[in-house]
Amino acid sequence: MAKEILTKIKLQCPGGQATPAPPVGPALGQHGVNIGQFVKQFNDKTKDLQGMVTPVEITVFKDKSFTFILKSPPASVLIKQLAGVAKGSAEPNKQKVGQVTRQQLKEIASRKLADLNADDLEAAAKVIEGTARNMGVRVVD
């Protein structure tokens, strides 16, 4: 018999560096989840993503047990990393902060394909390209 689901929690934590401090502690604590156990399991699974923001979807069951699914890092984080910029432009239509190639966008798209609302790699690359443009990052061939 399947366990009855109490709630689903979505968080973004730095890979390999989650702590019981906010936002993790309060989000899990209010549902009675063992915070230390989650932090240990999350850090073990994400030790190869040191410091990179990693979305996680936690399913909490009635008996206070939990499971979680790791998602790929946000496209904006990956684009900033490739373009070598600290943050996106405040005025993306006027001020460009960096540039990435279409090949780099395809690499990001292939990494995020499972999490995107796209059928193939070309459509996913267009989604990522739109994100880059909205950040003020120029896309070059």
Side-chain angles (χ1 to χ4, degrees):
M1 185 171 140
K3 294 182 181 181
E4 190 176 342
I5 296 174
L6 179 65
T7 189
K8 289 190 178 197
I9 304 167
K10 293 181 180 180
L11 296 173
Q12 290 190 355
C13 305
Q17 299 175 355
T19 64
V24 177
L28 297 179
Q30 69 184 355
H31 298 291
V33 174
N34 183 334
I35 300 164
Q37 184 181 3
F38 168 76
V39 168
K40 183 179 183 318
Q41 289 179 17
F42 178 83
N43 287 340
D44 287 344
K45 284 191 176 182
T46 60
K47 60 183 160 213
D48 57 326
L49 298 170
Q50 278 299 329
M52 188 172 290
V53 175
T54 307
V56 59
E57 188 174 300
I58 307 157
T59 304
V60 181
F61 301 103
K62 285 271 189 191
D63 65 354
K64 308 299 182 202
S65 63
F66 65 91
T67 60
F68 63 92
I69 301 168
L70 296 175
K71 304 283 186 174
S72 57
S76 59
V77 172
L78 298 172
I79 292 168
K80 285 190 296 187
Q81 185 180 29
L82 282 178
V85 296
K87 63 180 188 171
S89 173
E91 297 178 339
N93 55 341
K94 296 178 183 174
Q95 180 183 0
K96 301 297 180 188
V97 293
Q99 67 181 26
V100 293
T101 65
R102 291 198 191 283
Q103 184 58 39
Q104 289 173 319
L105 291 180
K106 284 185 179 181
E107 290 171 15
I108 294 173
S110 65
R111 185 171 175 181
K112 291 198 59 68
L113 190 58
D115 295 335
L116 290 174
N117 187 16
D119 294 333
D120 61 355
L121 190 59
E122 289 301 316
K126 286 184 179 182
V127 171
I128 302 298
E129 185 175 340
T131 302
R133 282 198 192 118
N134 283 333
M135 295 172 58
V137 176
R138 187 177 292 117
V139 178
V140 295
D141 286 326

